[in-house]
Amino acid sequence: MKISFLIHTIYGIGGTIRTTLNLAEELANRHEVEIVSVFRHRDDSAFALDPRITVVPMLDTRQGSADRQDPLFAEPAVAFPRAEARYKEYSKLTDERVRAHYAVSDADVVIGTRPGLVAYVARFAPPTAVRIGQEHMTHNHHRAALREEMYEHLDALDAFVTVSEGDAQVWREKMPLPTTRVLAIPNSVPEPSVAPSDGTGQTVVAAGRLAAEKQYEVLVEAFAEVAAARPDWSLRIYGSGDQRDRLRARIDELGLYNAVHLMGPHSPIEPEWAKGAIAASTSRHESFGMTLVEAMRCGVPMVSTDCDYGPREIIQDGVDGLLVPVGDVRAVARALLRLIDDEDLRRGMAAAAWRNARRFDPGVVTKQYEALFDELAAEAAQRADIPGITPVADCTVAPDGSLDVTLAAPLPKGFERGARLVCTRTGAHTEMRTYDFDARGSATVPAGEEFSEGVWNVFMELAETATRGRVSARVVDQRGALHAAERLTPGGAVRNLVPYEDKAKGGALMLRAWHRPIHAEAADVQVDGAKVTLSGTLLGPAAITWEPILMLRRRGRPSDEIVFPGVRVGEDGFRFTFSSTVPAASQITSHDVWDAFVRYSPDAPPVKIGRLLDDVVMKQQIYVYPHTVMAKKRQDGVARAVAKRVLGRPRKKVRVRVYYTLSNDVALNVVDL
């Protein structure tokens, strides 16, 4: 069997690289293994590479390389998800190189090791290959925008593997993937090259990135209690990161400079674990917990926070280590002192840690992967005989708000029954709506169907083969959306569902849904220099009970508010007239954004003002209002005036503009010119 790992780079240092190499080296005992490294930024890998493993770099980004001069290198990627953290590092050249590599690949299994590369696997892996995505972080770690982009790619995999069962369960609950097996297989840690700790030392050891989520300040503060009670014990923290200076200052502030030492990065780390009598981890969250297993494999008992998700699946509390609440300084101190003061307990846990951690040996973990490969291989072979589907459809909005989606071509022969339209949206959870196609190839989304607010993807699914294809738009008739206001029921929620073609996704048919229990619908916006007049109507089960108030809230700092009085117009209308010089004078960044709300009653929370009830999906570029340019306010006005008079420097200006956000809500921005 040939197994291909697709990794960002094999030439760096990191947990994903290390665990990939552990698995690849063990697989190389029985299989052909290649590691496809998208980037090569240095001559040699930081880790020793097993000569049995073939390393295939896609792009050479070393100084002076020809790849850096390729015109495609400067063009943004199309196949790589835009919400992925490393999106800006990818390009059309990476798209093309990875596609070309797998177009002629004979790999039996292809494994993607980060979200963007999982998308590459879903798009480019050979049709007969088993397609596997690995999750080295957690579901909750990823932004909703990335989860939304990844849904269709994860849905195209044979298996999606997390490193903890807790995280796998979250994926199953929040993003159901009917055609993809979601399971947990832990990372592997090889047997240390040093003898286990003899437990005779008086050192507590911790290791990992000095990053905020590791919460080393909790460990340092806990050790202040330990040092006061047991001054002959010390704490060593190994690693580097942006929290080093802050930790150093806290150590000095607590007077622990003789007891707590920042040791810097160390590789290999096993000899340092073996020096310890106790190991500690105080992370806020962990996807797995490699350092826990490393310490335990060196025969060191662990004190760890019981964070999501890894520690509780690695440590048996009271057997091979102790679990304590996240962020609880006193609990960490008590656990450390318990092991310090009870040598028999400490030695018993050390022996159990060394024994129990053997379940993470590469040989044991690799057998789980091999069993998965074998189970999925037959399914992948059958998939090669199933034709892919690339549906194209027309979509019409009826006056009553229902949507009719009609395929532009007949269904594949033999699949006329069981085809359905699938609409999905991924946020905190993945939501799904399904509608059957009739014999004519039409599916109807009924009027009044409840879609939560946001962007929905549209697929066609053939139930018989469990294949799914994104629907491309041919003609989208949105005229029925012009009647959205007429369809509102008195006292009912405000809803609108508008189909559109997304050219950025290759002409995909998409749905934009709005659903608000109470809504302030914007009408006219008049701009006369710095004077702005904004009017609209309150909709839903609410009523204006006093003279309405306009509230502008600074984006990112909602406690910063500017309030303007308004007038009630008729029964449900409102109108505000205000000067944009006020938010301009309150500017604190080079680009301030103020969101607009209306307070319609003293006892009710304010609601956003937006324009939702028509056929225009994205109003930002359509409803454009004049902007106002004014002199920028200066805090040190006298000094600046003197400087201008003496040096002749012009005063800087700002532009103030009312506009619609991506969600079609009213906002105002103040931007330096």
Side-chain angles (χ1 to χ4, degrees):
M1 183 177 284
K2 181 175 180 179
I3 299 146
S4 176
F5 291 90
L6 180 60
I7 195 167
H8 178 72
T9 179
I10 201 65
Y11 297 92
I13 296 176
T16 299
I17 299 172
R18 183 169 51 178
T19 193
T20 297
L21 285 173
N22 289 344
L23 179 58
E25 288 169 2
E26 186 66 27
L27 286 168
N29 291 326
R30 293 170 296 280
H31 306 281
E32 180 183 353
V33 179
E34 72 171 9
I35 295 179
V36 178
S37 180
V38 178
F39 297 104
R40 182 178 188 177
H41 65 283
R42 55 189 293 178
D43 294 342
D44 299 304
S45 172
F47 295 99
L49 298 179
D50 190 317
R52 298 173 300 169
I53 298 171
T54 302
V55 176
V56 187
M58 295 285 95
L59 265 74
D60 187 347
T61 57
R62 290 174 291 181
Q63 195 65 34
S65 71
D67 287 343
R68 297 172 69 94
Q69 309 307 316
D70 192 305
L72 293 179
F73 183 74
E75 296 189 35
V78 175
F80 198 85
R82 294 183 62 86
E84 229 267 26
R86 292 191 178 273
Y87 173 74
K88 291 184 179 180
E89 299 177 46
Y90 284 73
S91 64
K92 282 188 177 178
L93 187 59
T94 55
D95 288 354
E96 177 55 29
R97 291 283 175 83
V98 176
R99 184 204 63 77
H101 175 80
Y102 285 113
V104 296
S105 172
D106 59 348
D108 300 294
V109 179
V110 183
I111 302 173
T113 57
R114 62 173 300 117
L117 302 183
V118 170
Y120 273 176
V121 169
R123 287 173 177 259
F124 302 141
T128 57
V130 172
R131 303 171 183 178
I132 295 177
Q134 288 181 335
E135 175 57 90
H136 289 279
M137 301 302 292
T138 68
H139 176 279
N140 296 333
H141 174 86
H142 300 305
R143 292 183 298 152
L146 178 59
R147 293 196 296 262
E148 181 174 344
E149 277 194 276
M150 289 301 298
Y151 178 81
E152 64 179 299
H153 304 305
L154 298 179
D155 188 56
L157 300 176
D158 295 298
F160 184 55
V161 181
T162 68
V163 292
S164 73
E165 179 56 36
D167 188 43
Q169 186 60 32
V170 172
W171 280 101
R172 295 185 199 110
E173 292 173 356
K174 294 189 175 183
M175 186 183 282
L177 299 164
T179 62
T180 301
R181 188 179 308 185
V182 179
L183 71 157
I185 300 178
N187 286 333
S188 64
V189 175
E191 183 178 359
S193 57
V194 297
S197 169
D198 61 13
T200 61
Q202 294 180 310
T203 303
V204 177
V205 179
R209 287 179 300 110
L210 305 186
E213 66 268 18
K214 300 299 183 181
Q215 292 196 135
Y216 283 116
E217 71 277 6
V218 171
L219 180 56
V220 169
E221 290 171 12
F223 206 78
E225 295 187 33
V226 173
R230 301 292 178 266
D232 48 345
W233 279 72
S234 64
L235 168 65
R236 292 184 175 186
I237 301 175
Y238 293 86
S240 60
D242 59 12
Q243 296 292 300
R244 182 182 177 86
D245 290 345
R246 182 176 177 180
L247 283 172
R248 178 78 268 161
R250 187 60 176 147
I251 291 167
D252 292 346
E253 182 182 351
L254 293 170
L256 295 173
Y257 39 82
N258 288 316
V260 179
H261 308 288
L262 301 180
M263 306 295 291
H266 237 273
S267 182
I269 191 65
E270 289 81 4
E272 307 311 311
W273 288 122
K275 295 175 184 177
I278 303 169
S281 172
T282 48
S283 292
R284 183 183 297 115
H285 57 77
E286 289 281 1
S287 56
F288 176 63
M290 286 282 284
T291 57
L292 278 65
V293 180
E294 289 172 348
M296 292 169 69
R297 293 223 68 177
C298 291
V300 184
M302 197 83 206
V303 171
S304 172
T305 47
D306 186 18
C307 62
D308 291 336
Y309 295 95
R312 68 178 65 107
E313 296 182 25
I314 296 171
I315 296 170
Q316 295 182 51
D317 188 29
V319 176
D320 50 21
L322 298 174
L323 293 173
V324 297
V326 175
D328 191 330
V329 172
R330 295 298 305 277
V332 174
R334 285 195 300 268
L336 291 173
L337 286 169
R338 180 183 172 190
L339 289 179
I340 288 171
D341 292 341
D342 192 335
E343 184 175 353
D344 289 341
L345 176 66
R346 188 170 74 246
R347 289 185 178 277
M349 284 191 175
W354 178 81
R355 183 173 58 252
N356 293 345
R358 286 183 291 184
R359 71 187 188 276
F360 299 103
D361 188 85
V364 177
V365 172
T366 300
K367 286 180 181 178
Q368 297 179 57
Y369 268 103
E370 288 178 313
L372 180 64
F373 299 161
D374 291 340
E375 291 170 14
L376 297 175
E379 299 174 21
Q382 292 176 359
R383 182 179 58 233
D385 299 326
I386 299 172
I389 53 174
T390 54
V392 178
D394 299 331
C395 185
T396 301
V397 186
D400 67 354
S402 63
L403 305 185
D404 182 77
V405 180
T406 302
L407 297 174
L411 289 165
K413 189 171 179 60
F415 298 101
E416 292 86 351
R417 298 182 63 183
R420 60 181 188 170
L421 187 75
V422 179
C423 306
T424 68
R425 175 184 176 273
T426 296
H429 292 75
T430 294
E431 303 173 73
M432 184 183 300
R433 308 283 185 273
T434 60
Y435 310 93
D436 293 335
F437 280 100
D438 60 23
R440 300 179 298 108
S442 292
T444 299
V445 179
E449 192 84 334
E450 288 197 11
F451 281 73
S452 60
E453 184 158 327
V455 175
W456 289 72
N457 298 280
V458 181
F459 303 93
M460 186 181 80
E461 182 176 276
L462 300 179
E464 190 170 327
T465 61
T467 54
R468 183 182 288 183
R470 182 183 283 278
V471 176
S472 295
R474 186 174 69 172
V475 175
V476 181
D477 186 346
Q478 302 167 321
R479 282 175 292 176
L482 294 170
H483 300 278
E486 302 167 18
R487 296 194 294 266
L488 298 180
T489 57
V494 175
R495 296 192 186 95
N496 196 14
L497 183 64
V498 185
Y500 66 100
E501 177 186 359
D502 190 338
K503 296 187 183 299
K505 291 189 175 182
L509 177 64
M510 307 290 288
L511 307 179
R512 181 60 168 95
W514 287 274
H515 182 180
R516 300 185 181 180
I518 301 172
H519 169 60
E521 178 75 1
D524 289 340
V525 177
Q526 299 291 332
V527 179
D528 182 9
K531 186 174 81 170
V532 178
T533 301
L534 170 63
S535 61
T537 305
L538 186 70
L539 303 170
I544 299 176
T545 61
W546 66 347
E547 290 300 303
I549 293 173
L550 173 67
M551 304 177 71
L552 299 181
R553 289 181 175 174
R554 196 192 307 269
R555 182 84 54 84
R557 296 179 62 171
S559 59
D560 292 357
E561 291 183 348
I562 301 174
V563 176
F564 298 99
V567 296
R568 183 174 178 177
V569 180
E571 193 69 25
D572 302 312
F574 55 82
R575 184 172 63 247
F576 304 107
T577 299
F578 64 95
S579 175
S580 58
T581 60
V582 180
S586 302
Q587 183 188 18
I588 61 173
T589 72
S590 61
H591 188 166
D592 280 1
V593 175
W594 298 84
D595 294 303
F597 295 78
V598 58
R599 183 178 286 280
Y600 59 90
S601 170
D603 302 321
V607 296
K608 276 189 174 183
I609 303 172
R611 188 162 186 156
L612 315 180
L613 299 176
D614 59 28
D615 61 323
V616 181
V617 173
M618 188 68 69
K619 295 180 172 60
Q620 194 171 97
Q621 303 300 322
I622 307 300
Y623 291 81
V624 181
Y625 304 108
H627 62 261
T628 302
V629 176
M630 59 188 72
K632 184 175 183 179
K633 180 183 178 182
R634 301 192 184 280
Q635 299 296 328
D636 51 345
V638 174
R640 296 291 185 178
V642 172
K644 179 189 175 190
R645 191 166 57 246
V646 174
L647 303 175
R649 292 175 182 166
R651 296 184 68 188
K652 290 184 178 180
K653 297 181 178 181
V654 295
R655 183 193 69 207
V656 186
R657 181 172 65 94
V658 177
Y659 73 105
Y660 284 101
T661 66
L662 296 178
S663 56
N664 287 353
D665 293 305
V666 175
L668 182 145
N669 64 14
V670 181
V671 182
D672 282 350
L673 293 180

